[in-house]
């Protein structure tokens, strides 16, 4: 069984879905529009410590505390509703404002808001819980002697997979 844990560009590239910092759109980020919580809900209601923890643990953002502090301060003036406003606030907080005329990544580097957007997307869609459920289902359907392979794209996913496999190995489920 092969699990490719990458997000679909078919969803991410649609501005109206609110995943992208490259195009302005509503600050949504729900893979399933039936989910109640949006990225705007998280950014505008979570306290500074919870935001910082989210950005650090789910996005790997080293400047997580600085970004969280700046977002909490900015939302006191006006709530975040659009992706462009959030991406600009993150870039400024990190001391990496985007040059006029271009809000995509510069050659050799990623957009300053990449990690924060990744963390928000993971939280909105409860991706760690969904991955754990998917791994458990895979274990139940794997034939004896079968192999479970997972392609992960960042440390958040990688950690969930490694913990799952390590727990299974300790329980004697894996060879």
């Amino acid at each position: 069984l092969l699990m490719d844990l990458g997000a679909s560009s078919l969803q991410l590239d649609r501005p109206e879905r609110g995943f992208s910092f490259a195009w302005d759109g509503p600050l949504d980020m729900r893979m399933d529009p039936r989910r109640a919580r949006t990225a705007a809900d998280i950014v505008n209601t979570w306290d500074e410590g919870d935001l910082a923890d989210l950005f650090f643990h789910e996005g790997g953002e080293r400047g997580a505390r600085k970004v969280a502090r700046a977002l909490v301060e900015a939302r006191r003036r006006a709530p975040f509703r659009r992706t462009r406003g959030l991406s600009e606030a993150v870039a400024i907080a990190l001391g990496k404002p985007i040059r006029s005329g271009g809000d995509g990544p510069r050659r050799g580097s990623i957009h300053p808001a990449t990690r924060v957007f990744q963390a928000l997307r993971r939280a909105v869609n409860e991706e760690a819980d969904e991955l754990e459920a998917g791994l458990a289902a895979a274990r139940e359907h794997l034939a004896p002697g079968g192999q479970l392979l997972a392609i992960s794209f960042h440390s958040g996913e990688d950690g969930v997979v490694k913990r799952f496999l390590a727990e299974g190995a300790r329980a004697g489920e894996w060879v």
Side-chain angles (χ1 to χ4, degrees):
L1 193 138
L2 174 63
M3 298 177 80
D4 178 344
L5 307 179
S8 167
S9 64
L10 296 174
Q11 290 179 312
L12 301 181
D13 292 344
R14 294 178 51 209
E16 68 273 12
R17 298 297 301 276
F19 290 104
S20 179
F21 41 77
W23 299 284
D24 191 34
L27 191 52
D28 191 324
M29 298 192 192
R30 293 174 295 170
M31 293 286 187
D32 180 351
R34 295 173 297 187
R35 284 187 180 271
R37 185 173 62 188
T38 67
D41 296 331
I42 293 172
V43 170
N44 291 314
T45 63
W46 285 21
D47 69 33
E48 183 178 322
D50 289 338
L51 286 172
D53 288 346
L54 172 67
F55 300 154
F56 183 77
H57 293 293
E58 293 294 333
E61 177 52 64
R62 286 184 229 136
R65 299 244 173 259
K66 186 186 304 185
V67 170
R69 190 175 318 114
L71 297 183
V72 168
E73 180 60 34
R75 76 184 188 201
R76 287 186 184 123
R77 294 184 296 277
F80 288 97
R81 300 279 182 235
R82 311 284 298 174
T83 57
R84 173 133 320 130
L86 179 62
S87 68
E88 289 173 355
V90 170
I92 291 167
L94 293 172
K96 301 175 181 178
I98 304 304
R99 291 186 293 273
S100 175
D103 56 356
R106 293 172 303 281
R107 185 178 298 200
S109 67
I110 64 170
H111 190 286
T114 298
R115 291 180 181 94
V116 168
F117 273 57
Q118 173 184 296
L120 286 168
R121 186 200 79 225
R122 288 181 49 76
V124 165
N125 296 291
E126 300 174 350
E127 290 182 22
D129 293 340
E130 295 287 340
L131 176 53
E132 287 175 9
L135 289 166
R139 177 182 53 217
E140 297 302 316
H141 291 91
L142 198 61
Q147 294 182 352
L148 173 60
L149 306 165
I151 302 170
S152 64
F153 292 87
H154 56 79
S155 61
E157 294 169 344
D158 194 51
V160 171
V161 172
K162 284 179 177 176
R163 281 188 298 280
F164 175 83
L165 294 175
E167 290 168 7
R170 282 192 295 277
E173 296 172 344
W174 314 114
V175 177

